[in-house]
Every structure is written in structure tokens, then in C-alpha cells.
Amino acid sequence: MTDGTRRTEPVRPVQKKNSQRKGSPGKEQPGEDIIAAGDKSAGQQGQGGGAGGSLKPSEPAGEVGSGHQRSHVSAGRAARRKRVRENTAVKEKFAEQLAANQNIDAIIKDRVEMFYDLVENRKMMEKVFRVPKNKDTVFRSLTIGTNPPVKALLVFIDGITNSQVQNMAILQPLMLLSGIFDRCDFECQMFDTTRAGYKDLFDRVKEALLPNNQVSTAHNFSRVVEDVLNGNTALLIDGYNQALLLETKGWPYRSVSTPQVEAVIRGPQEAFTEQIRVNTSLVRKIIHRPSLLTEFIKVGNSAPMQCAVMYLDDLVNPDLVQEVKRRLESVRGDFLLETGLVEEMIEDYPQHMVPQVLSTERPDRVAASLLEGQVAVLIDGNPFVMVVPCTFFTLMQAPEDAYIRWPIGSFVRVIRYVGLFLALLLPANYVAIIAYHQEFIPTDLLLAITGAREKVPFPSIVEVLVMEFSFELIREAGIRIPGTVGTTLGIVGALILGQAAVAANIVSPILIIVVAVTALGSFAIPNYSFSLTIRALRFFYIILAALAGLHGIMVGFFIHVGVMANLKSFGVPLLAPVAPVTRKGSDYLLRGPQWRQETRPDYLDPLQVRRQSEVSRSWRRRKG
Amino acid sequence: MSQQKPVVGVSEAVSLLFIFISAKIFLTQLIFSIHLGMNATWIIFLVLIFIGLSGVLLLVFLLNRFPGRDLVQVGEELVGPYINALFALFYLAVFVVSAGATLRGVSERMVVGFLPDTPISLVTFSFIISIVVVSYLGLETVARTARFLASLLVVTGLGLIALTIPLWNYSALFPFWGPGIPQLLWGALENTGDYVQILLLGIIYPFLPGGNGKKVGVMAVSISGIVMFLYVLAPILIFTYPTVSELSVPSFEMARNIYFGRFGQRLEVLFLPIWSLSNMIYLAASFYAGAAVLTRLCRLDDYRPFVLSMAVFVTVVAFIPQNVTQTAYWYFNYVTRYSFVMLIGVLLFLLLVAAFKARGGDEGV
């Protein structure tokens, strides 16, 4: 980091190029220089595009098939395809704008250094922010009230900054209070410059005149633009080739509210919000440890999103952190707003239906995971946090399991696994038994079912598919339409449609029970992504059951388990700790008592394996 | 073998090997053993545990002398590629013929027991698809699938035994020695091939955690021995000899005979995983093992192209016999009777060569 120095000789990193291009060293126009370069390249591109667009065969094609019309035709087709793929027509039409955009991109990418002249800096910033077309960016000129007064400029984006902070912590001190020391006598000035040790005005402004909680220095436009876009304010002072970046973020955001997806009866009632800093603070509020680290990584190209990687430095396996950071840093996606999008970019097997990342909106769950040795990935603007690695058993756990009494927690988990089985296999089993294995049903029940199905004209597979698709339709419609109407639609759809379908002899009454129980089973799965996966997979099982009865289901189940056994989440097998078998705690399938939770999961390879001492209820020890 | 060396834990290896050895007990092959041992066939299976253990110890003794290598590689080092090719073809034949018999047996069982109107080709095709998918994913996947499903299989298998306890007729055990001790011992010798599946240990040995091969082999043989013993004893107690020898699949008939009131009968559908999943695991492991042997024979790095070849070989072998009885008969005659003896012969030969080479090496030094 270099300190700002008053201009004696202008240092212009791009002046050489400029002079070569314009031949007017007296007036610095580095931006134009880059524009020129952009123009040139754009021009070349345009020519290239034109050549591609014309049906001239390329040189090798001419050699091979100068006498063959076919090669000419294929070359023409290839050129046309290339033209369409690259959208050359649009590029040619808006060549100037493209050149200007490339020029601005180059300013950011090349990290062009700032100038000493405030006017030049302002011009450059205006160019980057497309002012005056862009009405969001504000350029506020001011004079710092020192002796002598100095011209300065504030750059910020209206709406995402806190104007009160700007007024009280930037403008007021700079314009009204900055001259206090200058109005003192000579000794006072001596105190200023020598005892306090300010190198120059820039240093003095930074150290003494800005009562702002976070101030940093930037030397290039790229950094300034990035900070301004993040809600900070840039202060540019005439005569200095750097800017002060002041913390003034202040956009509107939703306050912390109760969880919408992972509601619990007993336990904390806080959920994450769309503000990444609020989310990190919610986790930090639970874990008061200096080893809780937060690292920031930008993900995405077109609109980079701020990602926070949180972990406990003294617990987590460093290889895991390294791998998470490596994957996030190497993502070259376009726009990754939501955890679901980032999830696809960083998970091991994105082509599979099973989620390999745990998404949660609960800070307490994230905190518990971090304390086990997992890593949390937070994305700005998103109330869901990813926790990695995750296993099948993690996906089937809910935070409340740990908050209620442990035998009840275990019981609830058993109910949930039964729900999983029903959601995945009940309709398929219904089809298999009705179509292939009637002998399994006791005679009285068989007669009842057959009597109910007597008037139904469809085979069981058709009625099951009709009802399952109808249910999925109701569910999807219920989510998409506004709240109150959605609830009504759910009830109306489920009751009326089911009742009407039975009355119209389209489906049998027992199938309504099957579909309803299946739906309840799918709602019992605590992870939304996993629940959706199960909903989708049950259609495969229904088709397999229709093809080969229970044997078809077994075949599907075997493939399903095989594929799941092959999946890994950040190197951890999805079926751990069962397959492969690793050291098991008492909290994977059932919920063991809290005093038995002595070790962290083995498959995470944490730095500290033991979670609590062997005798955690030490008050039970007899003295002496 | 593949791009990435698989790692198989002790628990997964034990599950895989135990299912691989004992899956045949749920098919028709068992009947021929009952003909030999009559009502005391269960004694044969107790004796067989010790024979299986001795085979495992011999195999591990050989493999421990060549750490990091499987049986095919060890053979190649000891006797050269040409003689070893014969041995490897023997291993391959064991895997292919056993898998073919199992595929035919389990497909026929599905058709007869559960899907009487479904063509056997569809059932076989569905088995092949699932097995190819899982075995293509590699040894780790096969072993983990076996481990994951082992709990389900053990619970279902023991549940089936437990639910038939009210039907047990203890007088069926007598005369206690059945046809007599010499005949029982001879019967045990004729059934040694029930443990030829320890050959899988020789193929997966390099992927086991170091020094655990013996543990894996001993545990797998012991568990599968107990399972096979129970599934021979229970039908004898339920159906008594000679009725039991006339059943095509005794375990299936056991499930059919469960009766707990009007609602607790015809429960064979509940026990479908026993026949279906155990044999799918068996076939997936066979496909992998056969492909691995072929990979070594052809000196390639990746087993995966051979999984499809194995599918073709096994399907062809499965449909050579005219019916399931002939399949079981051929299996008993060629695999159960002789394969284990041949395997032991190969192992002893390799050990002799190893000992000879070691001595020669020492003299040379």
C-alpha cells in the first residue's frame, strides 16, 4: 500500500499509449486511449465477422475442395452458423456501444490506476458509471475546509447508502470541522504535522477527519467501483492518486423473522435474512469463539455475488475448507443469486437428483453444523445457507430432534423414515399389489378393494398417475398463487377434486387414502430439496411397479441405493456413516441422549474428535 | 484397475463377501445338498464352515506374501502369463457360471413366485440393467450397496426364520446323524463348492485396509456359514425330510407357510428382498469380479468395458440349460462339487511355486 503524495510530477501509467495515439501530451485522456484500443479490436472483429459472413471459403477449404461445390456450401453453412452463434449482425449494428463497453471493462479488468487530477478521476468514474445516463450514481463535489481549502468529490450510489452516516460522518467533519486545527496558532499546526505524524492532507483526512468505522484506501478504479457498487462511498481528493473508501452501506432489508420452511415448536425462532452481514452475525451470536472465521469470496461473472465461508478454524479439517474455497473461487458462472445455483456449481454430482448440500434457514442449525466440523457457505441476498458436506442422514434430521427429549427425538425420526418410505414407495406398492400380488391382501380387504374399484374403468397405474399428477398440480399451484388463495386452493383442490374423482368413478376411494398418506409422508421429510427429489422419484417407482410389480420396485431400489452409494458430498460418501462404515456417534439414525454425544462425526475428520468429556454430567460423580 | 483406486472398508467387505457366499441358499441349488445329508444336512453346513475357513486362511496366506496384488497378479508373478491365463480363466469361469446359474434361478423364481404372466426375458433384462448399472459404478459402490442393504437383508432373513418357529417340528431332527457320519462327511466334501466364492476375496484383496484380509475372510465365512446353516435347518424342521427335498426353493415355501391369523398369511411378498436384493448384490459382485479378471488378463487399466461383456457372457450361460432344475443340477455337479477343490489346488500350486522361488532366491543371494 502506498501513501498518497502531493503531485510534483504527474505519474500517468497510460500516458505513453495516449501520446502514441493522440499526440497531445498536454491533455491526459487515458480513457480515450483505451477506447481507441477497443475501437481497433472491435473494428477487427467486425471485419472478421464480415469475412465470416461472406461466403468466401477459407484457405484450407479452397485447397481441399476448390473444384467441389459441396465444400463451398458447407463452408458457407459453417460461416452462417458462426454468424448466428456470435450474433454478428447485432455486433455490427452496435459496434460503437460494444467498443465503449469493452473500454470500460478494460478499465476494471486492467486495474487502471487513479490520477492525481480530480477532474480526470471524475471523468473516468462518470464513464464507468455511464453518467449522465445513469441516474443512480451521485457525484457530490465539496471543499474540505482546511487551510488552504481542497477540492474533493464523493461518489456513491443513491438508495444503497446510508445518507445519515454520509451527512454526519463524512460531509460534516470534512466541510465544517476540518479547519479546527488550522485555526490554531503555529504550535498547534506543529502539533498537527509532526507529533501526530500525518504525512500529508490525505493521511490527515483519513486519520483525523473521518469518524467513520471502516475506512480503506484504493489506488485503482476497479477497487473504487467495486466498493461504490457495494454501498460504500468513495472520497476523491484533488491532487492525490488514491481514494478513501468509507463504510456507508445502507440499503433496505428484511428484518430477522421466524423460519418459514424449517419451523420448530421448541427452539430458537430466528431465521436468516437476505443480508449476508446480518446472517454472519446471527451465527456469531450463537458461537462466541475467536476461532470462528468468515472469509469472503466473489462468485459469478456478470454480477458477482458476495459469498461468505464460515468455519471454526480449530475444529474443521483444513482440507475441507481449502476444497470449499477452491470450488467457490473457480466458479465461472454468469449470475449466481441463489444457493441452489451455487450448489449446482460446487457439488460433486450436479446431474443427480439427490441434493449433496444441506440448505437451511436456521442459524442454530448452521452453528451446530460448524461445531461438528462442517463448513457453511452464505450468499448475499439469500436467506438460505449451505452447509457442507452433507449426508443422507443429515438430510433426514430436523433441528427440533435435539431440542425435545431424546427418546421422543428418536421416535420422531422413526416416524420421518416411515414417512420417507411412504412418500417414495406407497403408490408404487399400491400399483404392484393391485396389479400383480393380490394374494398378499387378506381376502376381506381384497374384496373391499375390488368392490371399490369395480366401477373404476382404468387400470391401477392410470388412476394412480392421475391422482399423483393432480396432487402435484395442486401443490405447485398452491405455491405459485398468493397466500390466502393458495391455502384455499389446497383445501378445495384436495377435498373437492378427490371427492369428485371418487364420485365420478375415476379413482377408487382407497387411492385417495394412498395419495393423502403419500403426501403426508413427503411433508414429513425435513429437507425441501430432498422432499422434492423423493416426490419426483416416486413416479419412476410407480412405472416400475406397473411394469414388474414388486420385483420392479426392488430393481429400482437396488439402482437407487447403488447410485446413492456412489455419491459424495465434498469427498464424504452420502451414505456415511453406514456405507462406508465410519465411527458412529449416537446421532445419525436415531437421536441419542445429549450426554452420549461425545465425539464428532468421523467422516468429517475434524481436528478435534472429542466433543465433550466422557462423563459430561460430572455432577453425578461421587466425591472422594 | 479403474481410474481411481477403490477403497473398501472391513465392514463393507465382510457384508459383500458374506452375501456373495450365502446368496445361493435362497435358490434351488440347496436341494441337492439335502439329498446327500437328508434330515442331517445342517451338519454338512456346519462342517462346511470349517472347510470354508481353511480355504480363506490358505488364500490369505498366499496373498499376504504379495501385498497390494490380487490373485491374478500373484499368479502372473509366480507362474508367468501363460499358465496364469489358465488359472484366470478358471476364476472367470467360476464367476460366469455361478452368476449365470444365479441369474436363471432368481429370474425363474420371480416368474414362478411373483410374476406368473411376465415373460422371463423381461425379468432377466431388468436384473441385468440394475446389475450393470451398479457394477459399472465400481467396487466401492457394490460394497457400499451391499453394506447398506445387509441390515435390511439380515432383519428380513432372521424375521423369516423367527416367524416360522411355530411351525418347527423338532422330531424332524431324528435320526440325529441322518444317513450316518461317513455319508455326512462325504456330503460335506461334495458341497465344498459352496465356499468357492471366497475367490472374490482374492480379487478385492488389494483394496482392503492393510492386514485386514484374514479378518474379512474369517468373519464373512463365519456369518455366511451361520446363515446357510439356519436356512438349511429351518426348512428341515418345518417340512421334514423327504418333503423338503421336493421343494424348488425351500425359503420361498417357508414364507408362504407363515400363518398368524387371517391377516398374517401369504407373506412371501414381504420377504421378496431376500431373494431379489441378495441375488442382485451377488450378481453385481460377480460382474465386477469377472470384469476385473478380464481386465488383468488383457492388461488394461479400466474394468468398465468388461462389465457389458460379463452381462453378455452371464446371460448366455443363464439360458443354456433348458429349465431351472437343469440349471441347479449343472451348478451342483460342476461348481459345487469340484470348483473349491480346483481352487485349493491352484492355491497350493501357487504357494509351492512361491516357496520354491523364495528358496531359490535365498540360495541366489
Side-chain angles (χ1 to χ4, degrees):
Chain A
M1 197 162 86
T2 54
D3 292 316
T5 47
R6 188 78 181 168
R7 176 170 60 183
T8 48
E9 259 182 61
V11 180
R12 291 161 190 156
V14 290
Q15 194 180 359
K16 264 187 182 175
K17 285 184 193 171
N18 198 18
S19 58
Q20 282 170 1
R21 167 88 178 124
K22 301 280 279 186
S24 55
K27 194 178 179 182
E28 299 161 9
Q29 289 183 330
E32 283 183 23
D33 172 66
I34 294 162
I35 289 173
D39 275 339
K40 201 175 170 185
S41 64
Q44 282 169 349
Q45 268 193 352
Q47 280 172 10
S54 66
L55 294 177
K56 277 183 188 174
S58 59
E59 203 173 319
E63 279 173 13
V64 174
S66 54
H68 302 289
Q69 205 178 353
R70 196 171 174 182
S71 66
H72 284 276
V73 173
S74 61
R77 273 185 195 157
R80 264 200 303 278
R81 262 189 235 124
K82 191 180 172 190
R83 196 181 156 84
V84 170
R85 201 165 50 236
E86 293 180 357
N87 212 353
T88 321
V90 174
K91 280 185 179 173
E92 282 169 4
K93 188 177 175 186
F94 299 105
E96 268 183 41
Q97 193 173 337
L98 278 172
N101 290 344
Q102 280 175 359
N103 178 24
I104 292 168
D105 286 347
I107 294 169
I108 307 292
K109 276 181 193 165
D110 296 347
R111 298 183 176 275
V112 173
E113 299 256 325
M114 298 186 70
F115 307 113
Y116 286 92
D117 188 6
L118 187 64
V119 179
E120 285 174 13
N121 282 334
R122 180 177 182 136
K123 275 184 185 170
M124 189 66 103
M125 294 294 283
E126 282 177 350
K127 185 184 291 175
V128 172
F129 285 107
R130 276 82 165 172
V131 173
K133 239 196 301 187
N134 183 0
K135 300 291 185 280
D136 278 348
T137 317
V138 177
F139 289 81
R140 166 73 162 91
S141 300
L142 68 143
T143 304
I144 301 173
T146 48
N147 188 18
V150 181
K151 285 273 182 193
L153 176 71
L154 282 183
V155 184
F156 58 93
I157 293 180
D158 194 18
I160 61 170
T161 48
N162 187 331
S163 56
Q164 225 173 353
V165 173
Q166 285 176 322
N167 290 338
M168 300 304 292
I170 301 172
L171 291 171
Q172 188 172 306
L174 286 179
M175 296 171 80
L176 303 178
L177 308 175
S178 54
I180 289 173
F181 289 122
D182 297 334
R183 283 193 284 276
C184 292
D185 53 7
F186 179 73
E187 284 82 4
C188 190
Q189 283 182 32
M190 284 303 289
F191 170 81
D192 239 355
T193 52
T194 54
R195 286 194 190 172
Y198 304 129
K199 288 175 191 161
D200 50 26
L201 177 72
F202 191 89
D203 198 30
R204 186 180 153 196
V205 168
K206 183 183 171 189
E207 297 292 331
L209 298 182
L210 290 170
N212 212 291
N213 69 340
Q214 284 184 43
V215 179
S216 58
T217 315
H219 292 84
N220 56 55
F221 287 103
S222 164
R223 174 80 200 285
V224 175
V225 168
E226 187 188 328
D227 258 52
V228 169
L229 287 171
N230 281 326
N232 289 341
T233 300
L235 173 67
L236 286 71
I237 302 173
D238 191 26
Y240 293 93
N241 66 339
Q242 49 191 329
L244 284 170
L245 303 171
L246 315 167
E247 172 71 28
T248 56
K249 292 186 186 81
W251 50 71
Y253 60 86
R254 191 167 61 91
S255 59
V256 176
S257 58
T258 52
Q260 302 294 309
V261 183
E262 294 173 277
V264 294
I265 293 169
R266 187 169 174 181
Q269 302 291 337
E270 280 180 338
F272 288 119
T273 70
E274 285 76 10
Q275 179 76 359
I276 194 167
R277 266 306 178 194
V278 173
N279 293 348
T280 55
S281 66
L282 284 173
V283 178
R284 203 168 272 284
K285 198 179 77 175
I286 300 170
I287 304 177
H288 301 274
R289 280 171 75 148
S291 59
L292 177 59
L293 301 191
T294 307
E295 291 188 49
F296 284 98
I297 294 168
K298 290 264 184 185
V299 177
N301 286 349
S302 293
M305 296 302 293
Q306 190 84 279
C307 277
V309 179
M310 291 189 90
Y311 57 92
L312 282 162
D313 196 39
D314 56 346
L315 278 185
V316 72
N317 187 319
D319 281 345
L320 175 63
V321 179
Q322 198 59 34
E323 182 61 19
V324 173
K325 282 160 61 181
R326 188 185 71 83
R327 291 191 191 186
L328 283 170
E329 280 163 359
S330 56
V331 167
R332 297 283 177 268
D334 180 48
F335 175 49
L336 304 164
L337 169 71
E338 217 273 338
T339 45
L341 303 173
V342 180
E343 188 182 324
E344 276 182 40
M345 288 294 197
I346 61 169
E347 67 190 356
D348 296 62
Y349 303 92
Q351 68 274 26
H352 284 279
M353 291 172 86
V354 183
Q356 297 138 54
V357 163
L358 177 75
S359 250
T360 179
E361 58 170 349
R362 297 186 61 88
D364 55 328
R365 190 159 196 197
V366 170
S369 304
L370 294 180
L371 285 163
E372 281 199 337
Q374 286 164 298
V375 175
V377 179
L378 297 82
I379 296 170
D380 199 12
N382 205 301
F384 284 90
V385 171
M386 292 187 284
V387 176
V388 292
C390 97
T391 65
F392 164 73
F393 298 99
T394 322
L395 293 171
M396 287 301 290
Q397 290 173 3
E400 201 169 14
D401 300 350
Y403 302 149
I404 54 181
R405 299 189 65 76
W406 68 267
I408 311 302
S410 296
F411 173 70
V412 169
R413 279 197 192 163
V414 171
I415 294 289
R416 213 173 284 139
Y417 281 103
V418 171
L420 172 71
F421 172 80
L422 293 174
L424 189 65
L425 295 175
L426 184 62
N429 277 311
Y430 173 79
V431 172
I433 287 171
I434 293 294
Y436 291 95
H437 311 291
Q438 300 89 350
E439 76 280 0
F440 178 62
I441 312 172
T443 315
D444 295 346
L445 184 59
L446 182 64
L447 287 173
I449 293 171
T450 314
R453 290 200 75 249
E454 196 180 17
K455 290 178 183 173
V456 179
F458 305 116
S460 56
I461 173 73
V462 174
E463 61 168 344
V464 166
L465 285 178
V466 164
M467 279 315 290
E468 287 293 344
F469 274 117
S470 306
F471 173 74
E472 288 301 320
L473 202 62
I474 293 167
R475 189 191 60 79
E476 184 60 21
I479 293 171
R480 302 295 152 224
I481 56 177
T484 38
V485 189
T487 318
T488 318
L489 178 99
I491 296 163
V492 171
L495 286 179
I496 307 296
L497 199 67
Q499 194 84 17
V502 171
N505 292 326
I506 293 172
V507 297
S508 63
I510 195 159
L511 183 66
I512 302 294
I513 301 170
V514 169
V515 172
V517 174
T518 306
L520 289 176
S522 69
F523 291 136
I525 298 168
N527 186 280
Y528 182 65
S529 296
F530 192 49
S531 172
L532 288 179
T533 306
I534 297 300
R535 282 162 185 276
L537 282 174
R538 79 168 181 267
F539 286 98
F540 290 105
Y541 279 103
I542 290 170
I543 291 164
L544 287 172
L547 283 174
L550 282 174
H551 164 69
I553 296 174
M554 284 297 138
V555 165
F557 186 65
F558 185 67
I559 297 175
H560 192 175
V561 172
V563 169
M564 279 185 67
N566 189 47
L567 293 182
K568 284 178 182 154
S569 168
F570 283 79
V572 172
L574 199 74
L575 294 181
V578 169
V581 174
T582 57
R583 191 188 59 243
K584 296 181 183 75
S586 53
D587 181 28
Y588 76 105
L589 187 65
L590 300 178
R591 169 77 196 174
Q594 185 58 33
W595 72 86
R596 297 273 301 275
Q597 315 280 334
E598 284 157 9
T599 54
R600 298 192 165 82
D602 190 35
Y603 55 80
L604 292 172
D605 275 337
L607 293 179
Q608 293 175 30
V609 175
R610 186 157 280 282
R611 195 199 293 256
Q612 59 192 18
S613 67
E614 206 167 321
V615 183
S616 50
R617 301 199 306 162
S618 49
W619 56 269
R620 282 177 65 88
R621 274 186 178 161
R622 287 180 187 166
K623 285 180 183 173
Chain B
M1 189 75 65
S2 61
Q3 303 303 318
Q4 194 183 354
K5 191 185 172 189
V7 179
V8 181
V10 172
S11 182
E12 293 101 275
V14 169
S15 304
L16 179 63
L17 199 54
F18 127 66
I19 294 171
F20 194 68
I21 294 171
S22 56
K24 69 178 90 59
I25 204 72
F26 303 114
L27 296 176
T28 312
Q29 283 87 317
L30 168 67
I31 297 304
F32 296 95
S33 309
I34 292 177
H35 280 301
L36 290 170
M38 298 183 184
N39 67 316
T41 310
W42 55 274
I43 297 176
I44 289 180
F45 279 83
L46 283 180
V47 175
L48 280 175
I49 296 177
F50 297 101
I51 293 175
L53 285 174
S54 58
V56 160
L57 294 176
L58 195 65
L59 179 65
V60 172
F61 182 66
L62 172 67
L63 291 168
N64 276 345
R65 299 179 70 146
F66 302 90
R69 293 177 201 191
D70 61 32
L71 193 55
V72 185
Q73 288 171 315
V74 169
E76 186 159 334
E77 183 166 329
L78 289 174
V79 295
Y82 298 108
I83 299 175
N84 186 57
L86 294 175
F87 294 163
L89 286 174
F90 163 66
Y91 310 145
L92 183 65
V94 168
F95 289 127
V96 171
V97 172
S98 306
T102 303
L103 180 64
R104 181 67 181 272
V106 74
S107 301
E108 294 274 7
R109 174 44 44 197
M110 286 299 139
V111 171
V112 172
F114 303 101
L115 304 163
D117 298 328
T118 308
I120 192 169
S121 54
L122 178 68
V123 174
T124 309
F125 181 71
S126 62
F127 272 125
I128 291 287
I129 291 285
S130 62
I131 292 151
V132 165
V133 168
V134 173
S135 51
Y136 187 85
L137 291 173
L139 177 62
E140 269 185 6
T141 302
V142 176
R144 285 175 190 169
T145 307
R147 178 63 192 83
F148 191 80
L149 296 175
S151 321
L152 175 69
L153 290 173
V154 167
V155 169
T156 321
L158 292 179
L160 176 56
I161 299 272
L163 287 172
T164 57
I165 288 176
L167 306 173
W168 287 7
N169 176 12
Y170 294 98
S171 61
L173 289 174
F174 301 100
F176 192 78
W177 296 109
I181 294 173
Q183 280 77 7
L184 286 177
L185 289 176
W186 180 249
L189 284 177
E190 290 228 74
N191 279 284
T192 49
D194 284 342
Y195 284 93
V196 76
Q197 275 78 21
I198 58 167
L199 195 51
L200 181 68
L201 183 64
I203 304 299
I204 66 171
Y205 198 80
F207 311 122
L208 299 177
N212 281 305
K214 189 173 164 186
K215 186 180 171 187
V216 167
V218 170
M219 282 180 72
V221 167
S222 306
I223 297 170
S224 52
I226 292 166
V227 169
M228 289 200 284
F229 159 73
L230 283 174
Y231 268 87
V232 171
L233 180 66
I236 291 171
L237 288 173
I238 295 164
F239 302 106
T240 69
Y241 184 80
T243 316
V244 67
S245 64
E246 290 162 8
L247 305 172
S248 60
V249 178
S251 54
F252 181 75
E253 298 303 328
M254 279 165 63
R256 284 186 73 165
N257 275 274
I258 292 170
Y259 185 84
F260 279 95
R262 286 172 65 192
F263 270 77
Q265 55 178 318
R266 296 300 304 271
L267 299 178
E268 64 269 23
V269 169
L270 275 185
F271 299 100
L272 184 73
I274 290 183
W275 302 288
S276 186
L277 291 179
S278 61
N279 284 299
M280 279 195 274
I281 293 168
Y282 175 88
L283 288 167
S286 295
F287 278 33
Y288 173 81
V293 171
L294 281 168
T295 309
R296 293 287 182 227
L297 265 177
C298 301
R299 296 168 186 276
L300 294 176
D301 292 329
D302 201 339
Y303 70 94
R304 286 178 294 188
F306 291 115
V307 171
L308 281 174
S309 317
M310 277 297 290
V312 175
F313 294 158
V314 170
T315 313
V316 168
V317 169
F319 284 95
I320 291 173
Q322 288 183 343
N323 51 48
V324 71
T325 317
Q326 194 176 44
T327 310
Y329 181 70
W330 284 4
Y331 181 84
F332 179 77
N333 261 347
Y334 302 116
V335 179
T336 312
R337 269 201 178 129
Y338 306 117
S339 61
F340 189 78
V341 178
M342 287 172 75
L343 177 65
I344 296 296
V346 169
L347 294 179
L348 286 173
F349 179 71
L350 290 176
L351 272 171
L352 273 175
V353 174
F356 179 75
K357 278 197 168 180
R359 203 171 55 181
D362 290 341
E363 281 171 5
V365 171

